[in-house]
Each structure stands twice: as structure tokens, then as C-alpha cells.
Amino acid sequence: MAHAPSNNLREPLILGEKSYHDITVDICRPIETRANKLWYVVFGLSFITMLWGIGLIAYTVGTGLGVWGLNKSVEWAWDITNFVWWIGIGHAGTLISAILLLFRQRWRMSINRAAEAMTIFAVICAAIYPVFHMGRVWVGYWVLPLPNQFGSLWANFNSPLLWDVFAISTYFSVSLVFWYIGLIPDFATVRDRAITPAAKKAYTLLSFGWTGNAKAWARFEEVSLVLAGLSTPLVLSVHTIVSMDFATSVIPGWHTTIFPPYFVAGAIFSGFAMVLTLMLIVRKVLGLEAYITVAHVEAMNKIIILTGSIVGVAYLTELFMSWYSGVEYEQYAFLNRATGPYWWAYWSMMTCNVVTPQLFWFPKIRKSLVATFIISIFVNIGMWFERFVIIVTSLHRDYLPSSWMMFHPSFVDIGIFVGSIGLFFVMFLLFARTFPVIALNELKTILKATGKYKRTSPQPEYKIEDLILESRKGKSGAAIHGEEHH
Amino acid sequence: MHDGVYPAVTAGAAPVVEAAEEPATAPEHKEGDAHATPHGRPQAPVAVAAPVAAAISADPATISTAAANLNKVKGGAFELVIYEKTGLGDGRLANNPWLQELPDPISRVTWDNYITMSIADMNSDDFKFNILNGQEQLSNVAEVVVNGVTLKLPVYASPGQAKGTIGIALGYGRTKAGKTANGIGANAFPAVTINKDNGFFEYSAVDVKVNKTSETYNLAGTQTFHTMMGRAIVKETTLDAYKKDAKAGNEPVLLSLSNGTKDTPNNVNLWEDHPRLNHKWGMSIDLNTCLGCGACVIGCHSENNVAVVGKDEVRRGRDMHWLRIDRYYTSDMTEKKAEEEGVGAIDKFLDMEVPSDSPRVVFQPVMCQHCNHAPCETVCPVLATTHSNEGLNQMTYNRCIGTKYCGNNCPYKVRRFNWFKYADNSAFDFHMNDTLGKMVLNPDVIVRGRGVMEKCSMCVQRIQEGKLNAKKEGRRPIDGEIKTACQQVCPTNAITFGDLNDDTHTVTKHSKEPRMYHLLEEVGIQPSVFYMTKVRNVSASEL
């Protein structure tokens, strides 16, 4: 990354007068040390929840979709709500890593790694729903335009669900490659510091033989830019296409041209909220307060105000357009959202998404980590309700009142959602202990430019040499590689 | 052809139908004694309609008997009318799962009998029963004490039922009828007495006590929302207006175009039309002649191997009926009234949800409308639902992967999903899991597996058969040669099927009639099924 001149008007992005070596040590610490009890407790809980979710998915596939709460009028509910919610969450990672890279926002470097991990994990969680909401999941591969022996059967390119398949698989693969490319130099650092043969071997494989020479760095920078360029349209396209699942339909409350921009803003909004939720925990648990600072939180909070306001304007525009359209079905659909039997969902959405983020106009709240954490949870909840409101309240009362029904989730609906949260945290917790959670080599590029730093390294809390000796005692013939890579 | 107008009172129809229909045509009941039943059974001592009362007024003895009978009905006591349901009759057909799952024409409740009661009585201080029985509000259970017999049943709100009366259907509470009928509801026969004077069964009783209990019960209704919410779903007009203008009540739906003109949705079109080289199948449904009896639903069940899903699944809103009959009550709140009285939109719609105390009732059979620009077809990712070049919207079950997107995007909500495996499954013990029961299945129609969507095919197997027969004889199918199952069983010929490309077919003539309209035409999906305005012999103020 380019070295921008130091700017004293801005708060430093790395606190605590770190040296290059400090950065390495701080960020490798979770990988090289043992997890504490809390980690095991949270991991255990997440793992059990995940298993419960897997069990319920197996139950669904084995018995039939009837174990969910769906009915003849509301044939999508929690499944697609959760899908859109998770996909939306993923968007912040892509925005941070791609768009902020192109805009040379240096503050992204402390959070992009974890945010991209969140993207990958969120897309995996999201994928559960379109897959298992299919009545015949075992023939789900028919959505892929594969050459086949069923005759001339081919996918329907008119169907937004098919666009989803392309949009999300592209999104997932590009995000994964982008994330992985960024990880290679950091894996190499971990490899160079690894003391056990297993870790050595694993990180050697993961780092693809990275040597850190100038040419490799030059190519790394180039490919990062190219991938950022490729990812940038994806930030806009994925949720645009997800929104078309609804926008291209004829259902009042779905059939709206405002959906693409509104969904993209909502996705970034919810994604940043989730990044904040996660990063506020991560910085505390992994002791990364010096790297993820109040300045970072504040920058993200500003994006939350922006996107939250866009979402708020979109909600009001929807209301206006439904009235202005003169279409009785549209008018009723929106009146029913706000005042019908699901009014509580609508007003939860309004409160969480429109009102609470506006508190960030106050610098005190914007800079308060506790307030930010609470508001980020509110936004996560509000964005879930947004999708619930769009999907369920539109379907439950559409054209013919004879078909109007309520939707009630079954324990399976709830269990699979909770299970996907468990899966997310299982992946994230494993990531936090095995991957460098901050792009440490990238971060080193801004150390000098963004604040006070140290030229000489103080003694680390633990000496790598001691660890080597320790491991030698334990396992004779263990390979010793103490050389550190900057 | 039923251009002729049926009188609104259909003598001889199911008693409950009368109960709902009659107040519109015989308003004297409203003003008359609260205990005068609209069920109109002559045996019932107090069921004296106004003209009859006038006729017998000459006989003082009869009057005093009637007065004595009226006096017997003490404060808080009810008059009970015991009736037969359209499907089960007196219960001799109770072991047939098709009929158990056939919604009652009026209440739309399946699989149970219940106490029908007027909303005014349910709201009274004695009871305060839940009115909106369905998914959200469970029905309160009450005990009915009649002639020393106690019947414990859920109470169902029946708009239009006279205050002070209750109704209970026969045919339930069976103990030895078979696996389907046993143990459903309560048996009302012990409450039937024999009239000492004429030896006839007395299907009514006075001085009936209704006691509230603390229990609730979830009645399995297929329709839990009862009014049209001010939408032009069933179009109606009066006979006088119809005589003046045959298009009365059927004002065309017009869309405003960007060039300032207006046009019908069928002419405003972004899509290319499907080719209609040979046949173009279509169907007309005359709302004038439809009684709402539900024979078509059963005809469809038997023709198309439609699964019975049972009480619990109906409660969850998962009945499999390819063809359903929508029943709408009128509400006291109308668009016009809201405008005149300045009622706000929120209150207007909340009031519209509540049926009138003495509503008019309309029926509307709704099946797949075989839209020519079908919203379901564009959204299926695997082309499991496609358009035939004969105008049918066809479902390829083997190709369906079950995303249910088509079902969501259907404005008529006629698509039915196989939430479970309904055949060969002991959890659905309704004869599709045993060899004898399977012999009833139609071999021309596939039994759908779990996880696929299904819907009305317009009896494509019958169309195919008719086409082949015609081809063998080197001619085109003649009018009425191909009949769908629903059309075949309709007692009033409300349903007509045929080829819209053939001018000799009745359906083509219907399509050119002024009463013809498409349901939800404004969505622009060009349905192949169309409806005919309902013409009522009432004054304009009563409509």
C-alpha cells in the first residue's frame, strides 16, 4: 500500500506506540497461545447449537418441508428472511475490502480481514436456506445450467432465483479468493514463527510458498487491486439481484422498483452493524484494542448513519409510492404492514433501523463502545425484521382475502436459524484462533503514516526462544525455525 | 346457459345457506322477534316467518300456542336448530375423508361440527366468545344442554344467524363408522326428539341452555378471512340494472397510460403472446348459478388424486384442494360509507374485516386461472411450470424442485405444495396408503410425491382423451365433448369448459357476453378462466 504522509489532524489508526514486531506478536498471539476458558465455553455452545441446526435440517429433509411453519399462502418466511439477512451481513466485508481499498481508506486495514471472514461465513450460512427451502433438495442441482441427459432440459433464465444462483456463487468465489490472497503473506508470517511441525506444515501449505520478495509483493498489490475492482460491482449486484426475487414478482409489497438500491443500502447497513458487533468482541477478547480503535468504530458508525438514513428514506418512499400509485392492493399492503396483525414487526424494524442509528449523530454516542455495541445489535435485529416484514406481511395478505393467512414459525424454523448462528460462530471462533484476524502485513504499511510508533522492539511477553526450547523438551527432533518475517 | 336470474333464496339448499342468504331478501326477520329462526323449518314451533304468521293470525288457538312456545324461551335460553351438512348429510357419509375435508359452504370449516351462533350473542356479556375463529383466535368451547342431553362443542361465529338461535350439524360424534369418522365432533342425534302430534322428527328445540366453558378449540377452516375488503372480486348487480345495461356491475378495469389514454390490462402488454395455433382452452364460471355446494371440489379430488391432509394440516393452512370455493360475506363498512362518513383508511379496513350482522353471501370457485402471462411461469428456475401452446399452464411434477416461488407469486394462491409425502404414509391415513384405497385413484393422473408443487391442470388428461377421440374420427372436439371434472359434477352448470378458438363452443359465446370478467384482470396476467357477474333480484339499496 502506498505510504501516505502522516496527518496529525487525524487520530492515529494504531495506538500504543507499536513497533513492526509488536504488530506481528500481537496478531499472532491468538494463534500461538492457548485459548482461554471463555473461548471453549462459547465455542462449545455454538457447536451444540450448530449440531442442533444440522439435526433439524436432517429432520426437514427426511420428513418434508411441512415441519416448517409455512402454509399455502405464506410459502417463504423465515427461510428466505434468514437468507437475505445473512447475505446482507456479508456485504460489509466486501465493501470494506474492495471499495474502501479503491478509495484508499487506510482505516479499513484493521478490520478488513475479519470483515471478509464474516462475509465468507455469512454467505455459507445464507446458502443453507435457498438450498434447504427446496422441497426436493436432492435434485437442487437442476438449477445449474449443466449439460444433462434429461432431454433438452435447461434452466429458466427468466427466473430471479436462477440469477441468485449465479450472483451468490460468483460473490462467494470472488470473496473467497480475495480473502485468501490477502491471507497468504500473513500465513507466511505465521509459518515462519510456527514451532510445532504440524503448524509448520499446515501454514506452509496455506502460505503457498510465499517468500516475501519484492516481486511477490508487487504482484500481491496488483492482484489485490484487480480483485478489488472485480468485487466492487459485486457489492452492488448481489443484493440487487436478491432484491429482484421480490421486485420482479406481482405481489403487492414486493413489486417495487425501489428495491435494488434499498436492498444494497440495507445490506451494507446490516453488514457494518455485524462487523461492529463482532469487532467490539474481538478487540476485547483478543486484546487488539490498539489496532481496532475508537476511530475505527467511529468511521463505521458514520457509514451506519449514512446507510441507515438511506434505508429510512426508502421506507418512507415505499409508503408514499403505495399511496401515490392509486393501486388499492399496494395501498392496503403497506397499511397492513404498519397497522395490521404484524404491526409489531414493522415498528420493530422502524425503531431499530431508522430511529436508533440516528443517535450516532451525537459524537459522544458515536464514540462510545458500549452504545455502539448496543445499537449494532439493534440494527441486526431491525434488519432481520425488515426482511420478515417484506416477505411475510406481503404474502400473508395479498390479492384475494379468502387466502389471507397468518404465519407461525415452528420449532424447526427457529432451530435452523439459531443453528445457522451457531455455525457462524463456530467458523468465526475457529478463524479467530487459527488465522491472523488482522491483515498484519498490510497494517505494517500504515504504521509510520498514521501515528506514533517505535523503532525498536521491546521484549515480547513471551520469548519465542523459550517456546522453542519448551517444544524441544517435549518433542525431540522438532524443527526449529525462529526466523521472523517482516 | 344460465343467463336467467335465480331467485336469491334457494329453497331446499342447506339450511345454513338459507341462514346467511335470507336476511338480505327477508329483512322482516331482523325487525321481528329475536327468536324467530331464519332456518325456516316448518316443524320448528317458533320458526314463523312473517307471511306465515299473517296467514295463521286468524286462528287464536294457534296464536296462543305460538305465544306459549315463545314464552317457553326464557331469558338467556336459545333455540337450537339441528341441520345436515352439505357434505356428510346426516352422517352416513362421514367415513369418507374427501367429505370430511370438504369445507362447509358457509363456515369453510372442515373435519368438525360446532355450534353456530350469531355474532351479537357471542359478544353478549354472558359469553364474550372469540369471533375471529381461525388461526389467531381459537374457538371457545361451550356446553349445550338440550332435552337432557349435553353437547360440548366449539362455538363458531355465523354472521346472519338470527340472534337467540344456535345450530349444530348432524353426522359427527361417530363411534363405529370407521377410522376416518370415529371420534370427530359430537353427536347431535340424541338432541333430536319425536313430535308427539305428528310423529315426525323434531330437528329443533327451544329452551336450550348454552354454558360457557374455559376450554378452547382450534377449528380447521380453509378460509379464515371472510370479507372482500372492498375489492371487486365477486362482481354483482341488480336485476333492474342488468335489464337496463347488461354490463351493469361489470365496469371494465382500465389502466391509465403514459399518453393520457386508458386501456384494459389485456391490451397493455410487455410480453409476446403465446401462439394459439390450434386450441385455446378456457373456462367460464357463472357466479349467478353457483350455489357454493362444493361438488366441484369433490369431483376434482376424485379425478385428480388430490390428497386429503387431515385436520391438523388444514389448521396449518395446507389443504390440497386444487379447486376451492371462496365465500365472502358483505360488511357494513363499504368504500362509499367510509367516504360519506369520513372514516379513515385504518378504521375503514378494520371495519371491513367484520362481516355484517345480516350479510349477503357470495360464492366463487377459484382454481388455477391458467394465465396467458402467468407470473408462476417466469419465476420457476427449472421450467417446471410452463405454458402449453393450447393455453394451459402446465405443471411438470418430475421437474419441480420445490422452491415454492410459483406459489408465492400466484395472485390467486391456487398452487398447492406437497409439504409431506401424502401417499404411502401412515401419518396420512386417508386411503392413499393402502391397496384398496389406491384402487380409487385415477390411473390417468400421477400421484404427486413429496416436495413438489401441484395445481389445477384443467383435467389435461380429459382434454387429451377428447382430442384423441376427435382425431380418430377426423374432426375437431365438439362443444361439451370434453368436460372437466368440476364441470361434470356441477349441479347448476355454473362451470363451462371448451375451446376459445372455436366459435361453436359455449365457452366462446360466454367469453363475449357483457357479464364476462377476469378475476384480478388489473394484474395483467390474462387468465383463461373467466367469471360471469352475479345478478340479484333485489333493489339497488340492498346490494
Side-chain angles (χ1 to χ4, degrees), chain A residues 364-377:
Chain A
K364 218 173 193 171
I365 295 176
R366 197 160 70 216
K367 288 176 182 172
S368 154
L369 301 181
V370 177
T372 302
F373 187 75
I374 293 168
I375 292 174
S376 77
I377 298 282

Side-chain angles (χ1 to χ4, degrees), chain A residues 60-76 79 133-140 142-143 148 150 153-156 158-162 244-246 248-251 254 328-329 332-333 335 339 395 397-408, chain B residues 135-136 221-225 227-233 271 316-319 324 326 328 345-346 349 353 366 375 377-383 397-405 407-413 415-417 419-421 450-453 519-520 522-523 525:
Chain A
T60 306
V61 174
T63 315
L65 277 184
V67 298
W68 295 5
L70 306 171
N71 58 50
K72 61 186 174 186
S73 299
V74 184
E75 293 182 283
W76 284 349
D79 46 354
H133 95 300
M134 282 189 281
R136 301 204 299 160
V137 60
W138 47 93
V139 291
W142 286 352
V143 296
N148 59 64
F150 305 122
L153 287 177
W154 199 237
N156 179 9
N158 282 331
S159 169
L161 276 191
L162 194 73
M244 285 173 182
D245 284 344
F246 310 108
T248 63
S249 79
V250 299
I251 301 301
W254 285 12
E328 59 180 327
Y329 308 112
Y332 183 77
L335 196 71
T339 64
L395 287 175
R397 291 186 174 183
D398 63 346
Y399 287 100
L400 300 181
S402 64
S403 303
W404 289 4
M405 298 216 94
M406 294 295 286
F407 166 80
H408 295 287
Chain B
Q135 288 179 295
E136 291 318 288
T222 56
Q223 181 182 350
T224 53
F225 211 93
T227 59
M228 269 193 281
M229 301 298 286
R231 300 176 178 186
I233 294 167
W271 299 79
R316 293 193 182 93
R318 294 176 182 164
D319 59 273
R324 62 168 197 260
D326 290 344
Y328 295 107
I346 296 173
F349 285 121
E353 291 180 22
V366 181
E377 289 167 15
T378 51
V379 298
C380 175
V382 293
L383 293 166
Y397 306 119
N398 290 347
R399 180 66 173 167
C400 178
I401 59 172
T403 68
K404 308 178 291 306
Y405 197 173
N408 285 329
N409 207 22
C410 173
Y412 307 99
K413 292 285 173 283
R415 289 179 158 264
R416 295 290 179 262
F417 187 71
W419 301 103
F420 294 102
K421 182 182 179 192
R450 160 156 84 84
V452 303
M453 193 60 85
L519 184 58
L520 300 180
E522 56 272 40
V523 186
I525 47 188

Side-chain angles (χ1 to χ4, degrees), chain A residues 35-96:
Chain A
N36 60 13
K37 221 180 222 164
L38 185 67
W39 187 90
Y40 281 105
V41 170
V42 178
F43 183 81
L45 277 175
S46 309
F47 195 75
I48 291 165
T49 327
M50 179 191 80
L51 288 182
W52 176 236
I54 292 173
L56 289 175
I57 288 173
Y59 174 53
T60 306
V61 174
T63 315
L65 277 184
V67 298
W68 295 5
L70 306 171
N71 58 50
K72 61 186 174 186
S73 299
V74 184
E75 293 182 283
W76 284 349
W78 277 46
D79 46 354
I80 304 301
T81 301
N82 298 339
F83 159 68
V84 182
W85 187 69
W86 277 121
I87 283 281
I89 281 172
H91 274 58
T94 324
L95 183 107
I96 290 168

